[in-house]
Amino acid sequence: MIALLGKLRGKHDRAVLLIVFWLFLALLGPLCSSQDPGAIGSQPVFSSPSITHLLGTDYLGRDTFARLLNGIRHTVILCFASTLIACSVGTFLGIAAVTVRPWLEAVTGRLADGFLSIPSLLFALLVIAVFGTSTVALIITMGIIYAPGAYRTSRALAQRIVRLDFVTVARARGESTAYIVLQEILPNMAGPMIADVGLRFIYSVLLLSNLSFLGIGVQPPEVDLGSMVRENMLGMVYGSPAMIVPVAVIAVLTVGINLALDSSRGKG
Amino acid sequence: MVATIQVDNLEIVGRRGRGAELPIVRNVSFSVARGEMLALIGESGSGKTTVALSLLGHIRSGCRISGGTIRVAGYEVTALTAQERRSMRGRVISYVAQNAGSAFNPALAIMRQVVEPALVHHILPRRDLEARAIALFRALALPEPETIGERYPGELSGGQLQRLMAAMALMTDPEVVVFDEPTTALDVTTQIEVLAAFKSVLAERGVTGVYVTHDLSVVAQIADHAIVLKDGAVREAGTVSKILFQPQDLYSQALLAAAEPCSRQSEGVEAPEQQSVLDVRDLVVGYGRSTSAGLPEKVIVNHVSFSVPKGGMLGVIGESGCGKSTLARAISGLQPWSAGELLLNGVALSGNVTDRAPEQRRRLQLVAQNADSVLNPSKTIGNTLERAVRFYSGLRGEAAARRVSELLEMVQLSPALATRLPSELSGGQKQRINFARALAADPQIVLCDEITAALDTVVAAAILDLMKELQRDLGLAFIFITHDLHALQSICERVAVLYAGQVVEVGPAAALGEGFHHPYTRLLHDSVPLMEPGWLEETRLRRLAETMPATLPNPSSADAGLCCFLTRCPDRVAGLCDRIAPPVRSVVHGPRVLCHLPASIRPEFSS
């Protein structure tokens, strides 16, 4: 793996590879373990790692490794999906705000300010209290929560770019708005926007973990990294991997993706 | 006598990223005697600013002094510790930057910022410093010296800020002041005031100066000695008169030749057809809500009319803020107008580019101002040009690529440049690509907005040559918007002078120096510095001799339709100019002028 990373020439490729690695783990990871993540065995709770239980067992004596792979699946897929929604909606509105009509900027700008002023955890609690928790509800909620931030970033970037002379010239030539947005504006804001995606992804992983920790995120029998931490809090006293490993994975996932995306910016 | 500044064999190296160290300044030596002014001349990238800043002990990050010594007023600059350097800077030597507009903190009042360097060095208590600052404001001929310190940078003009910055630099009574292109960003009419103020204050205080510039006629006014730099090495050094009038070095000669106002007008070529390609009639452009009269709240372009003949070249000149760029935006359909009309080949054009027919858009092309932002940085030159070619002619693939090569050759660039990104090109090359993109449309008329403003003299001269060639070979008509009278006179047949949004004069460009003109045109023409030492004093004396008439009771009645130049006009007639709007007067074969004066002074003019 490291040898392969070394062979990749650009930092850009490494970022793509890291994302592919996590998606791969999310989609196929659960196949890597023969244990049933939900089965409560005869094992003692919070047991140490062994051949049958690679990372030991959790507070109900379930296999931690199998549950971890399942948890990664939920966390990664939910957060990728919500980041994708947040950033596409945000970027689209941000560019539209500066290219279409002044009133659109006024309306979307105030809306975004309104959303930004609500604490994200509170907003998520509210939505879930009304609509109940489900995977789709969580994805859409987190998408809505982080879209205003992406909107502000992309609007600020696009505002600077639309004033540049090459956009003026394209306008004077009579190019369509779609061409100006796709060909003249977007490529020149890709670098900072990618870094922003990394940031939004971290936020959504942390928010999802928080929600699950509070018990209103991913619901049993499904599991995600945040809910694993909550379930196995008692294990902290025993230094159990059931508690420590999910925490470590959250850290590695968020920091890794952010570093990779951050270093790939500026490279088209 | 020991020189105040003594630089010996200065070498500065720098590196880009992780590359090898490259020499930026090579073996530069010079000395400046007390009270003298040395000019560092060179184009961008010649290392002139690097040398000037090294006198303050400042080297940009990534660079370092690799050899030589710098001695300023008894201090060995290269051997100072960081603390000693701090105590020297601002006290012994100070710096006046190029762009005063961005050098002041917009959130603080002027006075606080002007006294700051002196406060840092604990020279005097604040109250005494403020008194000293007011004396300096007066010496620098700033308006209302007592109260100007209470104002904020945003309320003052560029020329005033530049003088305030000089005041800040002089607060500590330094022995040396470094000026880094302090008048480059100013209009000529302002530049002359600023230069005169600098010169008298420096002479009065016996300050030694270093003046960084690329403008040779400014050098002639202000410096005693000069050094010509190229690629970090001294090409020629000597007194100003020797360098300006008997340059020995080939490069100095080239610089002088480019600065020389020369005519590019081709003699004996048949006059351009009288049929006009573009007519601007009574155009009014502005911002804000429209008033009851149907005019916008803030009028930027005020009833402007002119026409451009087929294959002709019209220059539009005026100071910053006179509405030049707004006019360009309106003509290219990016800024709708409130009144008037625009005719292309006799057909009215819409104020909105999207409502114009493709054929109309093709015939009228815009070449925008800033070489650095005019090309999309993420597209190769080939892609940029190909898009324009495809957009207008529908050519694709092989044919489009051929056309791109053709266009590059037309602007005298190698077709191999097509694979490059804009960041890999020089300013002059980018401006040529900018032209090539406009030519892709096969236009009839090209609108050039300040295209030479950001370029070095030599490069700008080449661009002007290119324009003239294109005019001759392709029969293109041009509107050349500029604030540079020399450039305009060298290529344009006709000129329109814009002041406060009004065309105050339209006439043949060749006649600008002679005959009767609008007072503003005269001011503009007289303010362009000549390459003669002593020009500054002469002009100033002449200006002072022209006694300004007593201040008019209510000069701010521009909305009443009075003359827009009223408040600055040296020739205004009380009871006439401040009461009746000026008529348009014209002379046969001469300019058309918006002024009262000819009728009262010269009977040969008829209204």
Side-chain angles (χ1 to χ4, degrees), chain A residues 124-265:
Chain A
L125 284 171
L126 190 78
V127 173
I128 289 161
V130 174
F131 297 102
T133 178
S134 71
T135 310
V136 177
L138 281 172
I139 290 176
I140 293 177
T141 309
M142 294 202 298
I144 292 173
I145 288 173
Y146 292 119
Y151 162 84
R152 297 258 294 212
T153 312
S154 74
R155 188 184 59 171
L157 290 167
Q159 243 165 5
R160 188 182 61 82
I161 297 169
V162 288
R163 285 204 208 103
L164 295 180
D165 284 344
F166 62 86
V167 179
T168 311
V169 169
R171 283 228 169 113
R173 195 160 64 211
E175 296 279 7
S176 65
T177 306
Y179 171 84
I180 290 176
V181 168
L182 293 177
Q183 295 290 319
E184 308 278 3
I185 299 178
L186 261 184
N188 291 304
M189 55 191 278
M193 259 343 269
I194 286 172
D196 187 68
V197 170
L199 211 59
R200 305 280 151 224
F201 180 74
I202 293 192
Y203 288 158
S204 57
V205 170
L206 297 182
L207 180 63
L208 180 67
S209 302
N210 275 338
L211 288 173
S212 296
F213 186 85
L214 294 173
I216 52 167
V218 174
Q219 296 298 311
E222 304 300 343
V223 66
D224 79 321
L225 296 172
S227 52
M228 278 186 79
V229 176
R230 175 178 52 94
E231 288 170 355
N232 298 305
M233 268 216 296
L234 262 182
M236 193 151 60
V237 198
Y238 312 109
S240 162
M243 152 90 196
I244 296 165
V245 175
V247 171
V249 171
I250 292 176
V252 170
L253 172 67
T254 52
V255 175
I257 293 276
N258 195 45
L259 280 181
L261 287 178
D262 223 12
S263 66
S264 77
R265 61 191 268 188

Side-chain angles (χ1 to χ4, degrees), chain B residues 134-155:
Chain B
I134 289 171
L136 272 170
F137 295 161
R138 192 167 288 128
L140 285 162
L142 282 158
E144 297 158 27
E146 314 289 339
T147 55
I148 196 168
E150 292 158 24
R151 297 164 77 178
Y152 286 83
E155 304 173 66

Side-chain angles (χ1 to χ4, degrees), chain A residues 163-176 179 183-185 187-188, chain B residues 329 334 353 361 366 368-370 373-379 387-388 391-392 437:
Chain A
R163 285 204 208 103
L164 295 180
D165 284 344
F166 62 86
V167 179
T168 311
V169 169
R171 283 228 169 113
R173 195 160 64 211
E175 296 279 7
S176 65
Y179 171 84
Q183 295 290 319
E184 308 278 3
I185 299 178
N188 291 304
Chain B
R329 286 177 62 81
L334 299 168
V353 70
R361 292 201 297 250
L366 171 71
Q369 173 173 10
N370 195 336
S373 69
V374 83
L375 299 173
N376 187 336
S378 60
K379 285 177 152 190
R387 174 67 196 183
F391 191 87
Y392 288 114
R437 177 170 53 187

